Amino acid sequence: MTGVVITFYSYKGGVGRSFTLANIAVLLARWGRRVLCVDWDLEAPGLREYFRPWLDRDPVGGVVDLVADFRAGAVRPDRHILPVDLDNVAGTLDFLPAGADGPDYPGQVQGIDWEGLYDEEFGEYLERCREAWTSDYDYVLLDSRTGISDVGGICTAHLPDRLVVLYTANTQSVRGAVDVAHRANVARNALPYDRPQLPVLPVLSRFDTREEYDRSESWRQICLDETRSLFDSWLDQDVPPAVIARHLTLPYVSYWTFGEQLPVLQEKSPGADQIGFALETVAAVIAHSFDRTELLAENRDAYVAAVRTRTQSFAYDVQVSMPRSSLEVSQDLVAELENLGIRVGRSLSGDRAWLGRAETDARHLCLVIDGKASRWQLAEVELFLHRTLGQDRRLIPVLTEGTDSRELSGYLGNLRHLRLGLVNGPAKVARSLADEIGAGRALADTGQPDLVSLLRKAERTRLRPALWDLVGEFASELPVAVGAGDNVRAQELGADLAVLLRPRPGDDGAVPPPPQVRKALAWAQQVLDVRVNGS
């Protein structure tokens, strides 16, 4: 799939544009996306400071060097990309700085005549760079210069597929941002490239509601009135802009104003009053391609979780909720499910610890109902529905013999159910349940968690080009071995991959995986998921 270029823009400085971009980049990478951050604020570059602790070396070049490459006739848009080595990130996060540190940098920037470059067909060169970036990454996030400038035009009109404009609650900031958004769409119409209308996401930043509540609500309405037209091209027609505008508000938190910080790394499960909560919401809108806003309006947590669970690894395929009155038959059902190769979690009515968890460990929920659902099971249902709205996750009732489905309350009574009894014993119900959730014993014991981990590691690794050729060959052969049920060959390929991916200190020629290898790695992961999980 071709990646998306998103520009973060602000008319005025001091609105937290780089802060927002850096944190959203981390979230997208954590959710399994391949992300490239590009610091195009050439006159005041600062994005690197957010990533500095996780860079393995200082930059020796960057965006300004694209001009030198253009004049030399070389298309090398990945030449100065640096990996951001964060822990526990399922995706990829890379960074292209503005340029190298040193006394020569200001002269490089001041010596660029952007208008003259476009007369020399620099625009075509940028198109080729853009094509390379979007083939290697799911999201290319551009940190644009403030105000109205040639660089701003490149970032707001030429390069992006979408635009995020940040503004604060003052007239100049909000009107300037809206004006540039409209200018960008006008400028795109004059470009010699096929560009659709530019969707624009208005984000109210550093908004303080803790004091002067009446005044803050007045300014919230002013900002909504000024930005209302920006919602027209992407917001669901049944969702009021005022509702979404509140979700697109970043609160002012003084703690995060000191230095360049990434609160999303510290606020792992943020509450509604924390800035990480708001950043997650904006990142989810981006990951949803500005779509499904009716779900955001109805259930923000489910909207964010729907993005996260696309790459989330669950400890269990299904959670079986067991009432104490039918504990023995429930345990028999669990045993039969495990015999089918299904990973099963257990919850017992009255288990307060399970109800208190922020996230579930299982993809699906099975309720064993004996006579009627216990109050604990009803609480489980409510939590499961709240967490999984809009996701492909199933809730399946299994009724014991003598339980009348017509007596089930509300939502449960409308669900398709399975029944335990003399004819349908635990083994038969387990097979039916496996069919319901699309799970079962793998045709080959592929060691899937380890292999998928290796494939994901490969996407984040840097190797010499010759080694990437071997990785591509192994990744292409792996789906064939898994599809044929050849567990031995699958494990051999996994062992070979592990050897290739070992760190090699001092390897200056190392590069990220080329596009054809990334495709082979992605396809291998998809085959493993389908083969083992049925998803």
Side-chain angles (χ1 to χ4, degrees):
M1 182 185 72
T2 302
V4 178
V5 179
I6 303 175
T7 290
F8 284 67
Y9 171 85
S10 62
Y11 181 72
K12 298 284 287 184
V15 304
R17 184 193 67 247
S18 300
F19 167 86
T20 302
L21 184 153
N23 279 275
I24 285 177
V26 171
L27 288 170
L28 292 173
R30 181 187 291 166
W31 296 340
R33 277 49 169 195
R34 300 167 301 163
V35 184
L36 172 65
C37 299
V38 183
D39 192 348
W40 218 294
D41 188 356
L42 303 184
E43 294 185 13
L47 190 57
R48 186 183 65 160
E49 298 307 317
Y50 291 93
F51 301 135
R52 182 186 290 275
W54 299 278
L55 298 177
D56 60 2
R57 59 187 182 276
D58 291 332
V60 296
V63 173
V64 293
D65 297 278
L66 294 176
V67 175
D69 289 344
F70 165 67
R71 297 200 181 283
V75 182
R76 298 180 291 182
D78 62 344
R79 182 160 65 105
H80 295 297
I81 290 176
L82 303 173
V84 182
D85 190 17
L86 295 172
D87 294 330
N88 301 318
V89 171
T92 301
L93 180 57
D94 289 341
F95 172 55
L96 178 60
D101 287 339
D104 295 335
Y105 177 77
Q108 280 184 282
V109 175
Q110 294 168 3
I112 297 176
D113 176 10
W114 294 106
E115 185 175 353
L117 283 171
Y118 266 75
D119 291 339
E120 300 174 30
E121 299 187 348
F122 183 66
E124 291 294 334
Y125 177 81
L126 283 183
E127 280 294 291
R128 296 170 69 184
C129 293
R130 184 185 189 279
E131 182 179 349
W133 290 332
T134 54
S135 68
D136 288 345
Y137 298 94
D138 301 313
Y139 295 98
V140 180
L141 308 183
L142 308 182
D143 193 15
S144 175
R145 179 74 179 135
T146 58
I148 299 173
S149 64
D150 292 335
V151 170
I154 293 172
C155 293
T156 59
H158 181 178
L159 291 177
D161 298 295
R162 300 185 182 97
L163 182 62
V164 177
V165 294
L166 289 99
Y167 61 94
T168 53
N170 68 73
T171 303
Q172 188 178 27
S173 181
V174 63
R175 288 185 177 175
V178 172
D179 179 60
V180 165
H182 289 315
R183 286 172 181 261
N185 268 312
V186 171
R188 284 164 76 85
N189 292 333
L191 290 173
Y193 314 111
D194 184 17
R195 295 283 194 273
Q197 184 179 12
L198 188 67
V200 182
L201 192 73
V203 177
L204 176 56
S205 180
R206 298 193 171 184
F207 191 66
D208 193 349
T209 60
R210 294 170 300 175
E211 299 179 6
E212 301 290 346
Y213 177 81
D214 291 341
R215 197 173 181 194
S216 68
E217 286 302 297
S218 174
W219 266 101
R220 190 188 291 276
Q221 185 61 48
I222 292 171
C223 292
L224 176 61
D225 292 341
E226 294 287 346
T227 61
R228 189 180 298 271
S229 63
L230 302 182
F231 293 92
D232 293 342
S233 64
W234 57 271
L235 183 62
D236 186 281
Q237 62 180 0
D238 295 327
V239 177
V243 172
I244 299 302
R246 285 186 178 272
H247 285 297
L248 299 179
T249 300
L250 303 180
Y252 173 78
V253 181
S254 59
Y255 180 83
W256 299 115
T257 62
F258 298 99
E260 291 80 13
Q261 303 184 72
L262 297 174
V264 296
L265 292 179
Q266 299 182 42
E267 300 176 352
K268 296 298 176 63
S269 298
D273 60 338
Q274 294 178 287
I275 195 166
F277 186 90
L279 288 164
E280 281 186 345
T281 307
V282 176
V285 174
I286 290 172
H288 278 295
S289 300
F290 294 18
D291 198 7
R292 302 188 70 191
T293 48
E294 74 288 351
L295 175 59
L296 174 57
E298 181 180 353
N299 188 327
R300 177 269 177 197
D301 291 345
Y303 186 79
V304 173
V307 176
R308 185 187 301 120
T309 53
R310 290 177 193 171
T311 55
Q312 180 179 350
S313 296
F314 291 94
Y316 305 110
D317 299 308
V318 62
Q319 182 91 14
V320 175
S321 171
M322 304 180 291
R324 297 180 185 276
S325 59
S326 62
L327 187 57
E328 183 175 351
V329 71
S330 297
Q331 290 175 334
D332 290 342
L333 175 62
V334 168
E336 294 293 345
L337 288 168
E338 290 177 336
N339 286 337
L340 293 173
I342 296 173
R343 300 169 300 165
V344 184
R346 302 164 177 81
S347 61
L348 186 65
S349 289
D351 185 356
R352 294 177 181 271
W354 191 91
L355 293 178
R357 295 176 189 169
E359 298 287 348
T360 57
D361 294 328
R363 183 176 295 277
H364 307 287
L365 175 62
C366 167
L367 293 178
V368 178
I369 300 177
D370 186 29
K372 65 177 182 178
S374 70
R375 63 189 182 94
W376 295 99
Q377 289 180 316
L378 293 176
E380 284 181 281
V381 169
E382 183 178 350
L383 279 173
F384 184 81
L385 295 177
H386 178 77
R387 292 163 173 159
T388 64
L389 183 64
Q391 301 172 39
D392 184 20
R393 298 169 69 185
R394 302 290 304 281
L395 171 60
I396 305 164
V398 173
L399 311 186
T400 61
E401 189 173 12
T403 299
D404 189 345
S405 61
R406 294 171 298 180
E407 298 298 321
L408 296 180
S409 59
Y411 180 81
L412 290 176
N414 297 321
L415 292 176
R416 182 173 181 271
H417 61 268
L418 303 174
R419 184 176 292 278
L420 282 163
L422 295 177
V423 177
N424 299 321
K428 186 173 182 179
V429 171
R431 289 192 293 271
S432 298
L433 183 58
D435 291 338
E436 287 284 330
I437 65 176
R441 187 182 301 281
L443 298 184
D445 180 11
T446 61
Q448 181 256 1
D450 290 336
L451 289 177
V452 170
S453 177
L454 279 171
L455 294 168
R456 289 176 176 168
K457 179 180 178 181
E459 291 180 327
R460 303 191 297 270
T461 301
R462 300 175 72 88
L463 299 172
R464 296 195 307 273
L467 293 180
W468 279 126
D469 291 339
L470 289 174
V471 171
E473 290 179 13
F474 293 152
S476 298
E477 189 177 345
L478 187 57
V480 179
V482 173
D486 190 346
N487 176 50
V488 174
R489 182 56 181 156
Q491 293 300 327
E492 288 176 350
L493 291 167
D496 291 338
L497 274 175
V499 171
L500 286 173
L501 300 180
R502 287 176 183 169
R504 292 171 173 80
D507 193 348
D508 295 332
V511 297
Q516 66 272 20
V517 176
R518 283 190 182 276
K519 290 178 182 178
L521 293 169
W523 173 243
Q525 288 185 56
Q526 183 177 344
V527 169
L528 285 169
D529 283 340
V530 171
R531 199 65 172 175
V532 178
N533 294 329
S535 60

